[in-house]
Amino acid sequence: MMGNTIFPSLFISHGSPMLAIENSPTGRFLDELGNAIGRPRAVVIASAHYESHGPAITVNLQPSTIHDFGGFPPELYALHYPAAGDVLVGERVATLLQNAGLAVHVDTTRGLDHGSWVPLRRMYPKADIPVIALSVDSGKDAAWHHAVGRALAPLRAEGVLVIGSGGFSHNLRELNWRDSGAPPVEWMTRFTDPLRDALIEGDTQTALDWKLLPQAMRNHPSPEHLMPLYVALGAAGAVPKATLLHDSVEFGSLALDAFSFDAAA
């Protein structure tokens, strides 16, 4: 899928780093997603685990695999995702952000954190597609991240896949760590259900006003895992059409929704 193909933008909930090796519903979904989307020229991925003040991007020809987590099995730390970077795509991303009035920092040394390499390893296991990582800014709101995505919308017609990698809900302190298959808790669904509905119905304003939804701050005590959603939403253009690709829940309150976003016809 190259040439004149216009890729959708994607939001993926990456969950635990164990997603890299577990035979889970989300892992199996991601195993099929790369083939379903097709092979892009490059991937630009906004990761919840890459935070900066204002937008930053990695333009590193050989980004390292960052194991930015602790307490997991040794085999997880042995994994590497040796995807290359792409200077030309990085320069294009920087130009688009600058043209939107955003002062972008170009990082030539940072590698790929697990919010980037874990889902990409499931989607494109050969690691043969260049990757540019994009930061989020917890000090900025959903509308700002949506504007970042809007700036990057032209990439979709240039063979570049724009992904936001975060979590549809993310409160690690309240997960039921004893039971990964625990049923969804009510305080989570009170937030995720209306947010999911708003996205599918094209109600962008309600989605941007996520803090007004029930139990919003309980689902996201800090906002960094939700902000990649708005980058992906913005990258679809002014009138996005959302498609729910996957939804599952782990540990009772870790919602792992995934969406694709296209420009509405």
Side-chain angles (χ1 to χ4, degrees):
M1 294 178 68
M2 292 290 289
N4 295 324
T5 297
I6 299 179
F7 285 88
S9 54
L10 302 176
F11 172 70
I12 295 168
S13 297
H14 59 250
S16 159
M18 291 296 289
L19 174 65
I21 56 177
E22 282 186 336
N23 181 21
S24 64
T26 300
R28 294 191 295 273
F29 156 70
L30 291 173
D31 289 342
E32 302 296 329
L33 183 58
N35 286 333
I37 293 296
R39 180 184 171 83
R41 167 191 172 196
V43 171
V44 173
I45 184 165
S47 169
H49 295 276
Y50 182 14
E51 295 192 70
S52 68
H53 295 294
I57 59 171
T58 61
V59 183
N60 184 347
L61 289 180
Q62 293 296 327
S64 61
T65 301
I66 304 173
H67 298 89
D68 51 338
F69 43 77
F72 289 92
E75 56 264 38
L76 200 55
Y77 300 91
L79 296 179
H80 293 274
Y81 191 72
D86 189 308
V87 172
L88 291 179
V89 174
E91 290 176 347
R92 175 65 170 149
V93 171
T95 297
L96 289 170
L97 293 172
Q98 290 163 355
N99 288 346
L102 297 163
V104 59
H105 171 67
V106 176
D107 192 329
T108 60
T109 61
R110 181 182 170 88
L112 300 177
D113 60 69
H114 80 271
S116 295
W117 71 261
V118 166
L120 289 176
R121 186 176 182 273
R122 302 295 299 243
M123 291 176 64
Y124 300 111
K126 293 182 179 180
D128 57 354
I129 298 171
V131 179
I132 305 296
L134 171 68
S135 69
V136 298
D137 185 343
S138 294
K140 302 291 196 304
D141 62 9
W144 184 88
H145 288 86
H146 186 257
V148 169
R150 287 289 303 275
L152 300 182
L155 293 174
R156 296 174 45 246
E158 300 171 10
V160 177
L161 178 61
V162 179
I163 301 176
S165 175
F168 207 55
S169 66
H170 192 263
N171 184 340
L172 299 185
R173 291 185 178 182
E174 295 207 49
L175 297 185
N176 183 350
W177 292 106
R178 294 169 297 179
D179 184 4
S180 63
V185 297
E186 184 266 348
W187 60 261
M188 183 204 74
T189 59
R190 287 189 62 203
F191 171 79
T192 56
D193 285 356
L195 180 56
R196 185 183 303 116
D197 289 346
L199 292 168
I200 293 172
E201 293 166 5
D203 185 356
T204 298
Q205 192 57 54
T206 293
L208 289 172
D209 291 335
W210 67 276
K211 288 186 177 181
L212 302 180
L213 297 177
Q215 300 290 335
M217 302 311 296
R218 191 171 182 182
N219 279 269
H220 289 281
S222 58
E224 76 287 338
H225 273 75
L226 192 59
M227 293 304 103
L229 168 67
Y230 298 107
V231 175
L233 181 65
V239 186
K241 179 181 184 300
T243 301
L244 179 65
L245 301 178
H246 172 77
D247 64 324
S248 62
V249 176
E250 294 179 352
F251 306 106
S253 59
L254 190 65
L256 298 172
D257 290 47
F259 295 87
S260 67
F261 300 103
D262 284 290

